């Protein structure tokens, strides 16, 4: 076995000690013990794998997922001989499953689901329908295309330069995206405003205090006025958005 | 009479997070990942009693999720990815210290930009709960293929992280300098 073959095999060796006794790796591990260069490579490889693994294991899991799983899966497994006596129990379990499924659906159709869906959209977005640094031009363009041209924003956001806008869709409802350039921020210099008709949501966030949440890589702030629900999103932490309110 | 699955909550508590992360690496969408996870536990609740060897629950869950994903996979919309240069000597080397300082979301995004073929085995590897043999069994591919995909997947994610560290792509939307002239682009 040469060093390249050993590296190929050892790439599949987990960074901990889990695979130390696996016969598949023995020859390559022995070579790494005797060859200084290969041994150094293996140490770097393990350290890097450990670091990447640790970061991936930090990625957040939706808050509601566990409860939804537990609520939605109290199904009865009824042996054949007890099936007749268990018909009511099975029916109750189906009702419970439908109820939990409906609860999950409400989460997805409500503000939390909307915000999550929009963050995913933002993370995959690679173009705008219209570009301008003038907010009045953006409003005019939206007016022509029946977007939410009458969006109302805090004064601190209105002082930012525009970047452009795009009209999106969520569950059949029109969503207007307006992007702004935050020149004061060197690291996170783009903020995105999403505008949705307020009556599209069963539980819109209330004004005037925004509801902050970290969703994936983005910090978000949500609030509503009489007609619209807004989500402001930007890279980094919530503190980067609080300055606007 | 209700009869609860005896270990259902224990299974959820032990596996729902890694299953979700695995589902996310496959589907790249939070909502789809939730659906896949929910579907997997639903299938366990209805068919798990057929599993005779309780020690294989983990493998059963992950295999079921992977099959559910394959069965429901739709044509994905374009996911912005880095154009990797075949030779980019100016890119910074990825070291453990640098990775430790990165935003975990950045590392997750890097994984989601790895090619489809390599991403699933890579995620299973990095979760550290699966040996290469288990990955081969779970994904229903030969052991040699697992090793090959891990090797190339690791190379890709490190290149992607290297580009990200270089500051080449920190913005959600990569835009040219805005001008006063209105420009229309296709969405």
């Amino acid at each position: 076995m040469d060093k390249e073959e050993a590296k190929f095999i050892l790439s599949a060796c987990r960074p901990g000690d889990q695979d130390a006794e696996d016969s598949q790796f023995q020859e390559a591990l022995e070579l790494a013990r005797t060859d200084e260069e290969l041994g150094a490579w293996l140490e770097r490889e393990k350290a890097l794998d450990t670091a990447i693994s640790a970061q991936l294991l930090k990625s957040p899991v939706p808050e509601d997922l566990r409860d939804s799983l537990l609520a939605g899966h109290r199904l009865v497994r009824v042996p054949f001989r007890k099936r007749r006596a268990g018909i009511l129990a099975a029916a109750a379990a189906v009702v419970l499953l439908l109820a939990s499924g409906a609860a999950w659906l409400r989460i997805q159709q409500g503000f939390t689901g909307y915000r999550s869906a929009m963050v995913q959209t933002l993370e995959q977005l690679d173009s705008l329908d219209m570009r301008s640094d003038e907010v009045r031009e953006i409003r005019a363009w939206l007016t022509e295309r029946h977007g939410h041209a009458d969006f109302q924003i805090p004064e601190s956001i209105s002082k930012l330069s525009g970047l452009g806008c795009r009209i999106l869709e969520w569950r059949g409802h029109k969503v207007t995206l307006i992007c702004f350039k935050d020149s004061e921020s060197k690291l996170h210099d783009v903020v995105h405003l999403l505008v949705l008709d307020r009556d599209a949501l069963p539980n819109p966030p209330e004004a005037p205090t925004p509801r902050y949440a970290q969703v994936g890589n983005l910090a978000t702030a949500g609030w509503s006025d009489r007609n619209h629900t807004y989500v402001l999103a930007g890279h980094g932490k919530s503190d980067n958005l609080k300055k606007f309110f | 009479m209700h009869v609860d699955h005896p270990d259902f909550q224990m299974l959820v508590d032990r596996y729902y997070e890694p299953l979700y992360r695995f589902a996310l690496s496959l589907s790249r969408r939070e909502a789809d990942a939730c659906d896949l996870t929910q579907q997997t536990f639903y299938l366990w609740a209805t068919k798990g009693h057929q599993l005779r060897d309780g020690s294989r629950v983990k493998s059963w869950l992950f295999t079921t999720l992977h099959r559910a994903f394959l069965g429901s996979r739709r044509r994905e919309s374009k996911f912005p990815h880095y154009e990797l240069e075949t030779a980019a000597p100016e890119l910074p080397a990825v070291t453990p210290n640098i990775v430790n300082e990165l935003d975990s979301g950045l590392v997750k995004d890097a994984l989601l930009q790895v090619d489809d073929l390599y991403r699933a085995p890579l995620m299973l590897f990095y979760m550290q709960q699966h040996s290469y043999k288990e990955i081969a069994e779970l994904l229903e591919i030969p052991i040699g293929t697992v090793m090959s995909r891990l090797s190339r997947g690791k190379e890709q994610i490190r290149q992607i992280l290297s580009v990200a560290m270089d500051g080449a792509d920190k913005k959600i939307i990569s835009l040219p300098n805005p001008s006063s002239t209105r420009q229309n682009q296709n969405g």
Side-chain angles (χ1 to χ4, degrees), chain A residues 11 18 22 24 45 49 53 55 57 59 62 66 68 73-74 77 116 120 122 127 129 131 217, chain B residues 4 8-9 13 21 30-31 38 42 49 99 102 105 109 126 128 132 154 158 172 175-176 183 185:
Chain A
S11 285
Q18 308 97 318
D22 190 313
Q24 181 74 35
E45 183 83 357
D49 284 342
S53 176
Q55 290 288 23
L57 292 176
S59 62
R66 179 183 178 275
S68 178
H73 290 93
R74 291 177 64 89
R77 292 184 293 125
S116 177
Q120 284 195 21
L122 286 177
S127 65
D129 293 337
R131 293 182 183 176
N217 291 332
Chain B
D4 291 333
F8 188 81
Q9 180 166 340
D13 286 339
R21 292 190 178 107
E30 186 179 302
Q38 195 144 27
Y42 170 76
H49 62 279
V99 172
L102 288 176
D109 286 348
Y126 280 129
Q128 298 200 44
Y132 67 96
K154 284 186 183 184
R158 291 169 192 183
I172 293 175
L175 300 171
Q183 295 175 9
Q185 285 212 355

Side-chain angles (χ1 to χ4, degrees), chain B:
Chain B
M1 181 195 306
H2 287 267
V3 177
D4 291 333
H5 193 288
D7 297 312
F8 188 81
Q9 180 166 340
M10 183 198 75
L11 288 179
V12 169
D13 286 339
R14 179 182 287 184
Y15 294 117
Y16 87 98
E17 288 190 350
L19 279 169
Y20 170 81
R21 292 190 178 107
F22 179 48
L24 185 63
S25 74
L26 294 171
S27 66
R28 290 168 161 168
R29 297 179 193 276
E30 186 179 302
D32 289 350
C34 289
D35 287 347
L36 282 170
T37 308
Q38 195 144 27
Q39 185 178 351
T40 299
F41 279 107
Y42 170 76
L43 287 171
W44 170 257
T46 54
K47 298 183 180 179
H49 62 279
Q50 299 173 1
L51 182 67
R52 294 177 184 275
D53 183 357
S55 67
R56 298 188 55 78
V57 167
K58 181 183 77 172
S59 177
W60 191 99
L61 290 171
F62 279 87
T63 301
T64 299
L65 190 148
H66 184 241
R67 286 177 179 170
F69 166 72
L70 293 177
S72 65
R73 182 165 51 182
R74 292 180 291 275
R75 187 180 180 80
E76 291 185 348
S77 57
K78 179 183 174 185
F79 190 91
H81 62 278
Y82 299 102
E83 293 294 334
L84 298 176
E85 299 291 336
T86 53
E90 69 278 9
L91 290 177
V94 178
T95 66
N97 285 341
I98 290 174
V99 172
N100 287 333
E101 290 173 14
L102 288 176
D103 188 292
S104 63
L106 199 74
V107 180
K108 185 200 75 177
D109 286 348
L111 175 74
L112 296 184
Q113 293 176 55
V114 170
D115 284 353
D116 290 356
L117 269 182
Y118 312 143
R119 200 167 61 249
L122 203 60
M123 186 63 190
L124 292 170
F125 174 83
Y126 280 129
M127 286 198 289
Q128 298 200 44
Q129 293 186 344
H130 306 274
S131 68
Y132 67 96
K133 288 180 187 173
E134 289 172 331
I135 294 173
E137 183 183 319
L138 200 153
L139 299 179
E140 298 170 297
I141 55 178
I143 288 175
T145 305
V146 171
M147 291 187 167
S148 174
R149 292 182 183 178
L150 283 177
S151 176
R152 299 185 76 169
K154 284 186 183 184
E155 185 184 329
Q156 268 201 9
I157 195 172
R158 291 169 192 183
Q159 281 191 318
I160 293 167
L161 285 172
S162 187
V163 170
M165 283 158 39
D166 199 42
D169 198 345
K170 285 190 176 177
K171 296 177 185 177
I172 293 175
I173 300 173
S174 176
L175 300 171
N177 291 326
S179 66
S180 57
T181 305
R182 185 172 61 196
Q183 295 175 9
N184 289 324
Q185 285 212 355
N186 294 327

Side-chain angles (χ1 to χ4, degrees), chain A residues 54-232:
Chain A
Q55 290 288 23
L56 288 174
L57 292 176
K58 284 184 199 173
S59 62
V61 176
E63 297 167 3
D64 306 321
L65 181 58
R66 179 183 178 275
D67 290 344
S68 178
L69 292 170
L70 292 175
H73 290 93
R74 291 177 64 89
L75 291 178
V76 176
R77 292 184 293 125
V78 182
F80 177 79
R81 64 180 181 278
K82 295 187 179 178
R83 189 167 300 164
R84 184 176 175 184
I87 287 176
L88 286 177
V94 170
V95 169
L96 186 60
L97 178 62
L98 289 173
S100 63
W104 178 254
L105 190 61
R106 280 197 295 277
I107 291 171
Q108 295 304 308
Q109 291 178 335
F111 178 70
T112 302
Y114 163 68
R115 182 180 58 198
S116 177
M118 286 297 104
V119 165
Q120 284 195 21
T121 299
L122 286 177
E123 289 178 335
Q124 296 175 18
L125 208 63
D126 58 2
S127 65
L128 296 174
D129 293 337
M130 177 272 191
R131 293 182 183 176
S132 173
D133 55 0
E134 295 285 345
V135 176
R136 59 181 175 79
E137 288 188 359
I138 292 173
R139 289 189 190 273
W141 189 90
L142 289 172
T143 299
E144 290 174 6
R145 286 155 182 80
H146 308 290
H148 300 92
D150 58 342
F151 62 87
Q152 300 297 316
I153 47 178
E155 187 179 348
S156 52
I157 299 176
S158 66
K159 292 179 179 176
L160 300 177
S161 295
L163 277 173
C165 66
R166 181 165 173 171
I167 294 179
L168 306 168
E169 186 180 336
W170 174 74
R171 293 185 177 268
H173 300 286
K174 188 175 292 186
V175 180
T176 298
L177 168 67
I178 307 105
C179 301
F180 299 89
K181 186 169 177 60
D182 181 7
S183 302
E184 291 183 358
S185 174
K186 291 180 181 172
L187 284 178
H188 313 295
D189 60 354
V190 180
V191 289
H192 312 278
L193 181 70
L194 294 151
V195 188
L196 175 73
D197 288 341
R198 180 175 176 146
D199 57 11
L201 293 171
N203 59 341
E206 300 296 331
T209 304
R211 188 193 299 182
Y212 296 99
Q214 195 75 24
V215 182
N217 291 332
L218 300 186
T220 66
W223 74 99
S224 299
D225 60 22
R226 190 168 59 182
N227 298 314
H228 304 308
T229 291
Y230 302 90
V231 173
L232 187 70

